[in-house]
């Protein structure tokens, strides 16, 4: 039987019960509008732990654009039905005032990112990662998970969560999970729901270009590769590049060679929908 919990108080009681029974808690934080990418995280959390808790909370403090927050898809009934089917034990779906005081909502959460937030998403969405760390640290404190599962589509978020766990000295194990793609190659994202059928087809151009261009890593420098990818994506119908960055997989700082594990990260507008994707490149 799946349990739907809205209050932190009840969630705390449940967690205490799990701990008393020495049950290992696997946690998947989400903002809802679940798709097969989330499903893969939840299935893994179900398989590897005694109980699986999924949070569904559209976190207002990580949106630096009010319209983006308003337009974020909300599909709670569908999400709960899916989670029930795949063996999730508890859905934690609080209201905003359950998670934040007025003061917290209106002030920037302070965290030392060690530079991880100065590039890519952090540069283009100021304050975004402060909000992510704020909510994830709150959820970790409440749910005390043994393991927490995050997708590699949000590569920078994952690097920042690893840093948060290290800096805050948390005991949770962070499990990195591979990107799940639609048959077309488009990385699964809740934002894909906002694309028209034609845009969705065109958005597949992002991963197509990434995979084709990745083969030039080595013969071309990171800067040349970034320029090639930018040009190729911008040539595709409906697509407009916001950034293409070739970065070190750990520090997320731009690289000049292919000596270390590297990731090519992109943010691309398809119409007015902002999509991100990435591809890893092994040292060469
Ligand atoms: O990746 C997301 O959906 C969100 O950033 C997260 C981790 C659930 C925090 O709100």
């Amino acid at each position: 039987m799946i349990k739907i919990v809205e209050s932190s108080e009840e969630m705390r009681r449940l967690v205490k019960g799990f701990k008393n029974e020495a049950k290992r808690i696997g946690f998947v934080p989400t903002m809802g509008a679940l798709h097969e990418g989330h499903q893969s995280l939840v299935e893994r959390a179900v398989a590897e732990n005694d109980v699986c808790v999924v949070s569904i909370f559209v976190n207002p403090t990580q949106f630096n654009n009010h319209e983006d927050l308003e337009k974020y898809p909300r599909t709670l009934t569908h999400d709960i039905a899916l989670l029930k089917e795949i063996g999730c034990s508890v859905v934690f779906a609080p209201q905003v005032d359950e998670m934040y005081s007025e003061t917290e909502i209106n002030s920037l959460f302070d965290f030392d990112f060690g530079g991880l937030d100065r590039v890519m998403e952090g540069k283009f969405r100021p304050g975004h990662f402060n909000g992510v760390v704020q909510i994830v640290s709150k959820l970790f404190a409440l749910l005390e998970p043994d393991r927490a599962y995050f997708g590699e589509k949000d590569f920078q978020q994952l690097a920042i969560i690893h840093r948060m766990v290290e800096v805050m000295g948390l005991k949770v194990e962070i499990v990195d999970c591979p990107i799940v793609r639609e048959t077309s190659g488009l990385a699964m994202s809740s934002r894909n729901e906002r694309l028209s059928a034609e845009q969705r087809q065109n958005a597949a151009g992002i991963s197509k270009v990434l995979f084709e261009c990745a083969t030039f890593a080595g013969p071309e420098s990171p800067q040349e590769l970034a320029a090639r990818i930018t040009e190729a994506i911008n040539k595709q119908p409906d697509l407009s590049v916001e950034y293409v960055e070739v970065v070190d997989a750990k520090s997320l700082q731009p690289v000049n060679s292919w000596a270390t594990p590297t990731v090519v990260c992109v943010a691309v507008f398809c119409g007015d929908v902002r999509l991100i994707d990435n591809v890893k490149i092994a040292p060469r």
Side-chain angles (χ1 to χ4, degrees):
M1 248 299 261
I2 193 164
K3 251 189 160 352
I4 317 298
V5 178
E6 287 185 8
S7 95
S8 305
E9 206 40 58
E10 188 184 348
M11 197 60 242
R12 212 168 278 123
R13 263 200 309 275
L14 274 179
V15 168
K16 202 166 169 214
F18 295 146
K19 298 281 168 193
N20 286 342
E21 294 168 39
K23 287 193 166 154
R24 292 183 70 81
I25 302 174
F27 173 45
V28 183
T30 82
M31 297 206 296
L34 303 184
H35 49 68
E36 285 170 52
H38 296 112
Q39 186 173 334
S40 73
L41 307 184
V42 176
E43 283 170 346
R44 197 157 161 194
V46 169
E48 295 177 354
N49 302 278
D50 301 309
V51 288
C52 166
V53 181
V54 174
S55 63
I56 296 180
F57 181 66
V58 182
N59 174 33
T61 67
Q62 70 188 76
F63 286 82
N64 56 335
N65 176 334
H66 190 69
E67 200 185 324
D68 203 20
L69 170 62
E70 297 273 284
K71 282 191 179 164
Y72 203 85
R74 288 156 170 91
T75 57
L76 189 62
T77 312
H78 159 272
D79 294 346
I80 291 172
L82 172 72
L83 292 171
K84 193 171 169 182
E85 209 177 289
I86 58 179
C88 165
S89 334
V90 182
V91 177
F92 179 52
Q95 295 298 316
V96 172
D97 58 4
E98 190 67 30
M99 295 311 292
Y100 292 123
S101 67
E102 269 303 302
T103 321
E104 283 174 314
I105 281 269
N106 294 313
S107 49
L108 191 71
F109 181 79
D110 197 20
F111 181 73
D112 173 10
F113 292 91
L116 289 177
D117 64 326
R118 283 204 286 271
V119 290
M120 305 191 288
E121 293 304 284
K123 191 161 128 195
F124 284 89
R125 302 176 69 188
H128 167 66
F129 288 120
N130 300 76
V132 171
V133 171
Q134 181 178 32
I135 191 62
V136 175
S137 59
K138 262 180 189 281
L139 290 167
F140 281 2
L142 177 65
L143 300 169
E144 298 177 49
D146 295 281
R147 295 195 185 94
Y149 296 76
F150 290 84
E152 287 181 334
K153 182 175 78 70
D154 297 295
F155 196 85
Q156 189 171 10
Q157 168 170 281
L158 192 44
I160 283 172
I161 296 296
H162 278 288
R163 177 170 172 90
M164 180 192 102
V165 166
E166 197 184 314
V167 169
M168 294 183 176
L170 307 178
K171 281 209 302 245
V172 56
E173 176 193 341
I174 302 301
V175 184
D176 303 5
C177 301
I179 298 178
V180 179
R181 297 183 180 278
E182 298 186 359
T183 327
S184 67
L186 176 64
M188 297 263 182
S189 165
S190 306
R191 287 164 199 264
N192 295 353
E193 294 311 309
R194 288 175 49 203
L195 300 169
S196 69
E198 193 183 341
Q199 284 176 325
R200 202 159 176 146
Q201 240 173 9
N202 292 336
I206 302 170
S207 58
K208 190 167 161 275
V209 168
L210 276 182
F211 292 134
E212 278 170 10
C213 290
T215 59
F216 289 89
E220 289 187 355
S221 71
Q223 290 69 26
E224 285 165 337
L225 187 73
R228 176 187 286 278
I229 292 173
T230 306
E231 195 187 329
I233 293 180
N234 281 337
K235 270 195 193 145
Q236 308 279 319
D238 270 335
L239 302 184
S240 164
V241 165
E242 185 171 60
Y243 67 73
V244 174
E245 293 280 359
V246 185
V247 299
D248 178 85
K250 268 227 161 77
S251 70
L252 301 187
Q253 301 311 303
V255 292
N256 293 312
S257 78
W258 302 106
T260 55
T262 302
V263 194
V264 181
C265 298
V266 301
V268 176
F269 279 96
C270 182
D272 68 345
V273 183
R274 189 176 180 280
L275 302 169
I276 58 172
D277 200 349
N278 65 74
V279 61
K280 290 184 199 171
I281 296 179
R284 52 200 67 199

